[in-house]
Amino acid sequence: MGRVVRVAVDTRAIRALFAGERPPVLDADWDEAAYIVQRLHAYAEALGGIALVQPMPDGGDDAANAPAGGALFSCPRTGDRVRVEPDDRADGTRSDSHGGIERALQRVFSDAHAWRRHLQPAYFERHRSWRAVVGAPIQH
């Protein structure tokens, strides 16, 4: 496996949604670290056999610098940034095909609500109380 894919999991777009949730999500309601670990695992699982996934150094500040023969991808919903390093093979050849990687990334990108799996029990208690007051259906 010659490819290395560096991933920066971005949580700013998700946190921007918090105020619009019913009831609003508080910072203590969400386990950001667990979400990041799960998201990196999802990328590694999707790219298993195609590339080695590594976190991007410094949270992805270098995401804008695609190396020659590499590629950049960004999740339109979460803002995650993915940089595909060139595939320099031992025999000196280089593979420039990114199609398989792009298809695998789309599977992770489509799970834009994965962050909800990391809401804390306290949020769900508040949500049940809120629903008792406003009734059903849920008005998101």
Side-chain angles (χ1 to χ4, degrees):
M1 182 174 353
R3 288 242 186 247
V4 173
V5 174
R6 298 193 190 277
V7 177
V9 176
D10 196 346
T11 60
R12 291 175 293 188
I14 293 166
R15 287 188 171 279
L17 299 172
F18 285 1
E21 291 292 310
R22 302 288 185 260
V25 176
L26 306 175
D27 283 340
D29 290 337
W30 189 53
D31 188 345
E32 181 177 26
Y35 168 75
I36 291 171
V37 167
Q38 182 273 326
R39 194 73 169 176
L40 288 171
H41 179 74
Y43 284 109
E45 188 175 284
L47 293 167
I50 300 174
L52 174 65
V53 174
Q54 297 179 350
M56 202 172 295
D58 301 322
D61 291 339
D62 59 348
N65 302 318
L72 292 173
F73 300 96
S74 180
C75 178
R77 295 179 186 168
T78 66
D80 292 354
R81 292 170 317 283
V82 178
R83 186 179 73 199
V84 179
E85 300 290 333
D87 184 9
D88 295 324
R89 306 212 174 169
D91 63 2
T93 63
R94 176 177 276 185
S95 170
D96 292 321
S97 171
H98 302 294
I101 290 175
E102 187 171 12
R103 282 187 297 280
L105 292 175
Q106 292 308 317
R107 290 194 304 266
V108 180
F109 290 171
S110 69
D111 189 12
H113 299 288
W115 66 271
R116 292 180 182 274
R117 292 191 285 274
H118 300 284
L119 289 169
Q120 300 295 324
Y123 176 79
F124 294 107
E125 290 172 21
R126 282 195 357 269
H127 191 268
R128 281 189 291 279
S129 297
W130 175 79
R131 282 201 53 200
V133 171
V134 301
I138 298 173
Q139 303 169 7
H140 282 282

